[in-house]
């Protein structure tokens, strides 16, 4: 995602508004027309941000009760399911993503809340380890009991392209609450009304679970995002957005007197490699699958396959023909806002003008408020010559770049300098001679490596990893799946501590069911 020139990144980089928050109106805007719908709120002042963070900080003790945390997450899921029609209607009015897509996203979001409630109940995330005192070792081992504890208040920066699953009730919030960390969410400006609705449901869920409603708070405004990451009582942050905005906040988090962890998802090209054997075997199937993946949600998925390496020659030609036909049949669609639409059109023009680039399907403006999907192609040899760097950068929207390689060596030469990614995909044939070596080359590039699939679905599962080398993410952790909770925890060991002073999970008579590791 790209930033507005008046956005967070610009203001941090230029020290505009340092120590000052201007309370401006926050409007809900219809992306289908570009017209304001209603004023939802005003941008938070410095005092309001301080009050929200201090309220969250004061709620930490109540969240220490794991039973109450699990109840909060399940109750939030129930309330969101009950308000399904209202939530979907609000989100569609602000994002134009459509009721079908948003109904599915809501189901994913509530399932994720219940998923983390189960993780809280099970207790393995505490990573309890016990080493009994043993004077016979060298040096002697004291009684040591280790577990993970919550960091404190977490700042969550909502995503524009997922108004539910990666926003107020999304994975960062759910995993932070599961860890025992209260949350202050900075709403995304593209869906402020949806954010307000979801925040109210989460706060109601907290009260029903017997917790302070301030375990979740919501603030609006670009400057509010800057103030939030700098607040001394904020202990960690989670962000989903652009490289520019995320890097600016990451730098601000590191520049604090006491730096804090900043878990940012910034940008990803999500390369796809199609082997010669795969193209010969099923070129048409791969072309159709790629078209469906790269145009899903108007190409506004962080896992959109934006760069494809396909073989030169007849089999590769059949793939490009199939891709061209499928993309040509895609109807123009509305992007999340005018700023993103403008950035997409600018990005398309820049890339299409590069030397050696052709457009089998010309992307661009589909109408006053829409964009049309497209495909650009280039000889892979051009990429090694320089001057085509934008082709190796994410273009947020329905565009993919196909680089045609003529040899295995040329393919490797292009893969080598690629930046870090959330995903990398290998399309291969059965008993493909290049499969093992290509999989080995793709693995260092991404956090999730797919074989004969498409990356735009991200399942909420125990073994999921949604992250990758920079700039995909700023840390080695995942924002989806069970281990997302680890971002908001730190280990602490108690040495020679009397039983009655230990946390309950570390005592000899600990509650049944908390997994432990101890020497046999």
């Amino acid at each position: 995602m790209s930033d507005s020139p008046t956005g967070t990144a610009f203001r941090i980089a230029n020290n505009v508004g340092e120590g000052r928050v201007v309370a401006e109106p926050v409007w809900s805007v219809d992306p289908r027309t570009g017209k304001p719908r209603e004023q939802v709120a005003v941008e938070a002042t410095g005092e309001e941000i301080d009050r929200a963070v201090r309220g969250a900080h004061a709620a930490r003790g109540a969240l220490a009760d794991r039973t109450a945390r699990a109840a909060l997450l399940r109750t939030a899921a129930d309330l969101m399911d009950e308000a399904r029609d209202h939530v979907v209607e609000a989100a569609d009015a602000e994002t134009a993503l459509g009721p079908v897509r948003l109904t599915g996203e809501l189901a994913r979001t509530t399932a994720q809340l219940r998923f983390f409630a189960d993780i809280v109940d099970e207790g393995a995330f505490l990573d309890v380890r016990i080493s009994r005192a043993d004077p016979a070792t060298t040096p002697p081992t004291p009684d040591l009991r280790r577990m993970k504890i919550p960091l404190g208040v977490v700042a969550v920066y909502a995503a524009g392209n997922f108004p539910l699953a990666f926003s107020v009730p999304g994975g960062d919030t759910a995993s932070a609450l599961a860890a025992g960390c209260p949350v202050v969410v900075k709403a995304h400006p593209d869906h402020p009304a949806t954010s307000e609705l979801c925040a109210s449901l989460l706060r109601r869920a907290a009260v029903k679970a017997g917790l302070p409603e301030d375990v979740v708070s919501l603030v609006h405004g670009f400057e509010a995002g800057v103030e939030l990451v700098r607040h001394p009582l904020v202990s960690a942050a989670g962000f989903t957005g652009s490289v520019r905005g995320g890097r600016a906040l990451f730098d601000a988090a590191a520049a604090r007197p006491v730096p804090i962890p900043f878990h940012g998802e910034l940008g990803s090209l999500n390369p796809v490699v199609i082997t010669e054997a795969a193209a010969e075997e099923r070129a048409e199937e791969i072309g159709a699958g790629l078209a469906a993946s790269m145009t899903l949600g108007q190409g506004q998925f962080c896992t959109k396959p934006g760069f494809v390496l396909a073989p030169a020659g007849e089999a590769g030609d059949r793939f490009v023909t199939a891709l061209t036909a499928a993309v040509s049949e895609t109807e123009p669609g509305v992007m999340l806002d005018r700023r993103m639409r403008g950035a997409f059109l600018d990005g398309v023009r820049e890339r299409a003008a590069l030397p050696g680039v052709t457009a089998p399907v010309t992307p661009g403006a589909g109408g006053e408020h829409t964009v049309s999907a497209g495909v650009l192609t280039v000889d892979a040899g051009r990429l090694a010559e320089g001057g085509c760097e934008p082709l190796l950068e994410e273009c947020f929207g329905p565009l993919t770049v196909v680089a045609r390689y003529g040899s295995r060596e040329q393919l490797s030469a292009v893969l080598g300098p690629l930046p870090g990614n959330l995903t990398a995909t290998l399309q291969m044939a059965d008993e493909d001679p290049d499969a093992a070596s290509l999989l080995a080359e793709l693995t260092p590039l991404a956090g999730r490596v797919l074989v004969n699939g498409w990356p735009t679905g991200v399942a909420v599962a125990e073994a999921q990893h949604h992250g990758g080398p920079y700039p995909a993410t700023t840390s080695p952790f995942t924002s989806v799946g069970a281990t997302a909770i680890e971002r908001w925890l730190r280990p602490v060991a108690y040495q020679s501590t009397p039983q009655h002073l230990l946390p309950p999970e570390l005592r000899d008579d600990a509650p049944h069911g908390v997994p432990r590791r101890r020497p046999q």
Side-chain angles (χ1 to χ4, degrees):
M1 257 178 241
S2 61
D3 275 306
S4 161
T6 58
T8 300
F10 182 88
R11 296 190 186 190
I12 296 178
N14 294 277
N15 294 316
V16 176
E18 182 82 11
R20 174 180 61 85
V21 176
V22 178
E24 298 288 346
V26 175
W27 290 88
S28 173
V29 176
D30 183 347
R32 294 179 173 94
T33 65
K35 295 180 179 179
R37 297 175 60 248
E38 60 178 332
Q39 182 179 336
V40 173
V42 295
E43 294 188 353
T45 64
E47 292 77 12
E48 289 166 338
I49 294 162
D50 182 63
R51 186 159 58 247
V53 174
R54 290 186 181 279
H57 186 73
R60 291 174 306 147
L63 275 178
D65 184 340
R66 285 198 296 128
T67 301
R69 296 204 309 261
L72 161 61
L73 293 165
R74 292 192 177 98
T75 303
D78 291 344
L79 291 179
M80 292 198 68
D81 280 340
E82 291 170 11
R84 178 184 296 109
D85 292 345
H86 192 189
V87 172
V88 169
E89 180 183 10
D92 181 51
E94 294 187 305
T95 66
L97 290 172
V100 174
R101 147 72 193 272
L102 290 166
T103 298
E105 186 180 333
L106 177 59
R108 179 192 192 280
T109 302
T110 56
Q112 185 168 240
L113 288 164
R114 296 185 178 100
F115 175 80
F116 278 108
D118 292 343
I119 288 172
V120 172
D121 285 341
E122 194 251 353
F125 73 96
L126 296 169
D127 196 20
V128 172
R129 298 166 185 259
I130 295 177
S131 296
R132 303 287 187 183
D134 185 353
T137 62
T138 303
T141 302
D143 185 275
L144 289 166
R145 300 179 184 228
R146 179 187 185 272
M147 66 180 291
K148 291 181 178 178
I149 63 173
L151 289 176
V153 179
V154 170
V156 169
Y157 294 81
N161 56 341
F162 282 86
L164 305 174
F166 284 84
S167 291
V168 175
D172 285 352
T173 296
S175 59
L177 291 173
C181 296
V183 172
V184 179
V185 184
K186 207 289 285 183
H188 195 279
D190 279 352
H191 39 77
T194 308
S195 298
E196 286 285 346
L197 173 58
C198 292
S200 70
L201 293 171
L202 290 178
R203 287 168 69 86
R204 278 177 53 200
V207 173
K208 288 173 72 75
L211 293 166
E213 64 179 6
D214 282 348
V215 296
V216 178
S217 295
L218 182 71
V219 296
H220 297 267
F222 285 116
E223 298 285 358
V226 180
E227 294 291 322
L228 191 56
V229 80
R230 290 174 172 161
H231 196 289
L233 294 181
V234 168
S235 298
F239 171 91
T240 303
S242 70
V243 173
R244 189 182 183 206
R247 181 55 192 258
L249 290 169
F250 174 70
D251 291 345
R256 291 167 38 128
V258 179
I260 59 171
F262 183 89
H263 303 290
E265 179 190 318
L266 309 188
S268 186
L269 197 59
N270 303 306
V272 176
V273 171
I274 303 170
T275 68
E276 178 77 34
E280 290 174 353
E281 180 181 272
R282 49 194 174 87
E284 290 76 15
E285 176 189 331
I286 295 172
L290 174 61
S293 184
M294 54 136 321
T295 60
L296 186 65
Q298 296 306 317
Q300 297 173 116
F301 276 52
C302 52
T303 50
K304 179 204 74 176
F307 181 73
V308 182
L309 281 155
E314 186 272 336
D317 290 345
R318 288 193 291 114
F319 156 73
V320 173
T321 298
L323 173 64
T324 298
V327 172
S328 297
E329 294 173 359
T330 304
E331 293 293 326
V334 178
M335 293 193 71
L336 293 165
D337 63 29
R338 285 177 173 271
R339 174 174 55 86
M340 292 183 191
R341 179 178 181 273
F344 172 71
L345 296 177
D346 289 344
V348 164
R349 281 191 290 268
E350 178 188 16
R351 288 161 176 78
L354 293 172
V357 173
T358 61
V361 187
T362 303
E368 184 181 357
H369 303 291
T370 60
V371 298
S372 59
V375 177
L376 301 179
T377 62
V378 67
D379 187 292
R382 287 272 187 175
L383 299 175
E385 296 172 4
C388 290
E389 288 76 12
L391 298 178
L392 302 180
E393 299 171 359
E394 180 184 20
C395 183
F396 191 72
L399 172 72
T400 198
V401 174
V402 178
R404 307 290 300 273
Y405 66 89
S407 66
R408 180 68 177 78
E409 292 73 22
Q410 193 175 59
L411 173 56
S412 293
V414 175
L415 286 177
L418 287 184
N421 295 272
L422 294 171
T423 73
T425 300
L426 176 64
Q427 294 289 341
M428 55 169 278
D430 292 340
E431 301 182 5
D432 198 314
D434 292 324
S437 61
L438 282 172
L439 203 64
E441 287 185 59
L442 290 173
T443 297
L445 296 177
R448 179 163 57 107
V449 182
L450 299 87
V451 175
N452 292 346
W454 299 106
T456 33
V458 185
V460 179
E462 185 74 26
Q464 185 59 273
H465 188 85
H466 187 66
Y470 186 87
T473 52
T474 60
S475 72
F477 295 93
T478 179
S479 61
V480 180
T483 55
I485 197 173
E486 294 177 0
R487 296 174 296 168
W488 321 120
L489 299 163
R490 71 173 181 87
V492 61
Y494 294 87
Q495 180 172 326
S496 305
T497 304
Q499 288 283 311
H500 69 283
L501 296 179
L502 288 168
E505 293 85 356
L506 294 181
R507 298 173 189 169
D508 290 342
D509 60 352
H512 178 71
V514 176
R516 296 177 165 202
R517 290 188 62 182
R518 55 165 66 106
Q520 298 299 316

